[in-house]
Amino acid sequence: MKLASVPREIEQRDAADPLRHLRARFHLPQGRVYLAGNSLGPAPIAAFEEVDTALRKEWAEGLVGSWNEANWFTLTDELGDRIGALIGAAKGQTVACDSTSINVYKALQAGLSLRPGRTTVVAESASFPTDLYVAEGVVAGHPDVELLLEGVDGPRIEDLIDERTAVVLVNHVDYKTGELRDMAALTRRIHEAGAIAVWDLCHSAGVIEVLLDEAEADFAVGCTYKYLNCGPGSPAFIYAAARHHTTMRQPLSGWWGHAAPFAFETGYRPDSGARRLLCGTQPILSLRALGAGLSAIEDVDMADIRAKSLALTGLFMDLVEDACRAHGATIVTPRKEAARGSHVSITFADGYAVVQALIARGIIGDFRAPDMMRFGFAPAYLSFADTYQAATAFIDVLTSGSWRDPRYSRKRAVT
Ligand SMILES: *Cc1c(COP(=O)(O)O)cnc(C)c1O
């Protein structure tokens, strides 16, 4: 499908974009506008060589010696520090490992270990479900602790935080609406109650200026396959503020978190730093791809990324808002910049079919049940022209009703 031609003022915005050189660092299939980078980022070109080297040279030739020669054993820390630099964390507090779900488990348990005797964990009912499912599992193992949910036990998360609260698990950006929380203010409120703040950065790492140390966050987790473009199922990260390192405990006490893993002692003795959040052997090939993903954005200023993200989401909303109003679709993402993440969500009863009709035209967004269309704007590889073309196609699909074609309503396993 042919994409719309782009007006001159949009071309001028691209010409003036200080990040426009980043696009060449990604493999972007022809004829598509990729607005699903908030779900799975595209392949950074550097990843091809990086993984090839890890396979052919380090694994095939270097064999077991590569644990030392290629520094495989400390990739978790080295990459953790590089992720840390993108999320406002000084060195030594972030490790790359496991999945976000597993890291939520470790962070909640570590938080509970720091607040014995307290009886509630607070989270958001609108949270990405895995965070809630894991919180449920954690609480099930602590008979004296109860899970309280914003939206179920009270309207606002702030109202659920009191002297009983051990840990608050909160999403920096809501995966559905794209709403951004004020990390510093909420962390302050959590600390006033004497509780521990665990931030989920899945939808903010790599696209928003996250300032973990400055906000005095206690723990943070996040995935690297969304805006960090590190590959399908790439290892996640976990951050723990240095002040907690020697006191926090987490029950996945595997040998990688031991103070002396190669002493093979009988008893567990945790590492004195962030490594005590590790459990066991990590997927090295995936960690190598992770490094390539980071290298595609780590030399630019996160403030520039954030500014462009706001400009792209703002442009998209400006362009589609009249058509949305005319056809009964609702933009649910906040217009206020301080409250906006990097995707635009629009509710529409037949949103699934609209997204499928757009995909057929090369505009790749996604859909979250029951009625939400999501369009992610990743400043590293998307242009203002892409945004204009996506908006034009969206308006056309809504206005023409082409989404009504029955083939766009057929449901697939991953939406
Ligand atoms: C994407 C996402 C996850 C993913 O968890 P996995 O363990 O990688 O499957 C978790 N939490 C949030 C908020 C997410 O957006």
Side-chain angles (χ1 to χ4, degrees):
M1 188 66 69
K2 205 170 164 305
L3 298 170
S5 60
V6 174
R8 205 168 142 64
E9 72 263 23
I10 298 286
E11 285 178 348
Q12 282 166 345
R13 291 183 81 171
D14 279 324
D17 171 15
L19 301 179
R20 66 186 183 283
H21 64 289
L22 297 187
R23 186 182 178 92
R25 298 179 182 179
F26 295 89
H27 179 85
L28 298 168
Q30 285 291 316
R32 274 177 262 177
V33 176
Y34 193 64
L35 304 181
N38 54 325
S39 182
L40 174 67
I45 287 163
F48 303 142
E49 199 180 313
E50 198 75 8
V51 174
D52 195 64
T53 301
L55 263 173
R56 291 178 198 274
K57 191 160 161 247
E58 297 172 6
W59 178 21
E61 290 297 323
L63 294 168
V64 74
S66 286
W67 284 105
N68 286 320
E69 299 310 320
N71 298 315
W72 283 353
F73 193 64
T74 48
L75 272 180
T76 47
D77 313 36
E78 181 210 312
L79 294 168
D81 281 342
R82 287 168 62 188
I83 294 167
L86 300 173
I87 55 176
K91 284 190 192 308
Q93 303 179 101
T94 310
V95 281
C97 61
D98 303 326
S99 66
T100 300
S101 302
I102 293 172
N103 289 337
V104 167
Y105 177 82
K106 291 185 282 190
L108 288 177
Q109 294 281 14
L112 283 169
S113 78
L114 295 169
R115 291 297 179 269
R118 290 201 170 212
T119 56
T120 67
V121 169
V122 174
E124 307 145 286
S125 65
S127 172
F128 188 83
T130 202
D131 298 46
L132 289 182
Y133 303 159
V134 169
E136 243 184 68
V138 168
V139 166
H142 293 265
D144 301 331
V145 177
E146 184 190 3
L147 180 61
L148 297 180
L149 298 182
E150 178 190 51
V152 173
D153 299 296
R156 292 169 61 246
I157 203 161
E158 288 83 354
D159 304 327
L160 299 174
I161 301 167
D162 58 25
E163 71 292 343
R164 294 172 304 159
T165 313
V167 185
V168 181
L169 169 64
V170 63
N171 286 273
H172 197 200
V173 173
D174 184 304
Y175 81 107
K176 276 192 166 171
T177 64
E179 181 166 357
L180 171 68
R181 296 250 191 202
D182 181 338
M183 180 181 283
L186 184 54
T187 301
R188 216 175 302 121
R189 171 79 187 83
I190 292 166
H191 286 170
E192 277 161 16
I196 295 287
V198 179
W199 285 93
D200 186 324
L201 308 180
C202 279
H203 286 276
S204 57
V207 79
I208 282 171
E209 293 171 277
V210 182
L211 300 170
L212 286 177
D213 287 345
E214 197 177 302
E216 297 184 23
D218 298 289
F219 295 91
V221 299
C223 58
T224 62
Y225 51 78
K226 292 173 180 164
Y227 292 114
L228 289 169
N229 314 304
C230 297
S234 56
F237 62 86
I238 181 166
Y239 158 96
R243 62 185 176 279
H244 298 313
H245 286 184
T246 56
T247 42
M248 66 188 184
R249 305 281 305 201
Q250 61 89 8
L252 298 182
S253 44
W255 72 302
W256 275 44
H258 197 280
F262 285 92
F264 298 108
E265 294 168 9
T266 305
Y268 183 68
R269 202 159 48 84
D271 184 86
S272 58
R275 275 188 78 92
R276 75 168 57 187
L277 295 168
L278 299 179
C279 182
T281 305
Q282 292 299 308
I284 297 302
L285 299 179
S286 294
L287 282 172
R288 295 300 304 273
L290 196 163
L294 300 180
S295 70
I297 60 164
E298 66 193 344
D299 61 342
V300 300
D301 199 333
M302 197 53 73
D304 288 338
I305 291 188
R306 173 64 171 155
K308 184 174 169 190
S309 156
L310 287 169
L312 295 178
T313 50
L315 173 65
F316 186 75
M317 290 193 284
D318 287 345
L319 290 170
V320 302
E321 93 189 320
D322 288 346
C324 284
R325 201 173 303 114
H327 296 279
T330 307
I331 300 175
V332 296
T333 300
R335 293 303 301 233
K336 201 171 120 200
E337 295 198 339
R340 194 195 312 157
S342 201
H343 67 271
V344 173
S345 297
I346 300 175
T347 55
F348 184 63
D350 290 291
Y352 181 81
V354 172
V355 169
Q356 293 306 311
L358 284 169
I359 290 172
R361 298 173 62 137
I363 311 293
I364 319 294
D366 71 7
F367 175 77
R368 288 294 174 261
D371 61 356
M372 194 168 291
M373 302 179 269
R374 295 192 311 178
F375 304 101
F377 290 88
Y381 51 84
L382 286 176
S383 63
F384 289 91
D386 292 326
T387 304
Y388 178 86
Q389 287 170 329
T392 307
F394 178 84
I395 294 164
D396 187 58
V397 166
L398 268 192
T399 310
S400 68
S402 66
W403 58 268
R404 294 179 196 275
D405 186 322
R407 75 193 144 124
Y408 298 137
S409 296
R410 227 169 287 137
K411 285 277 190 323
R412 311 194 59 190
V414 175
T415 61

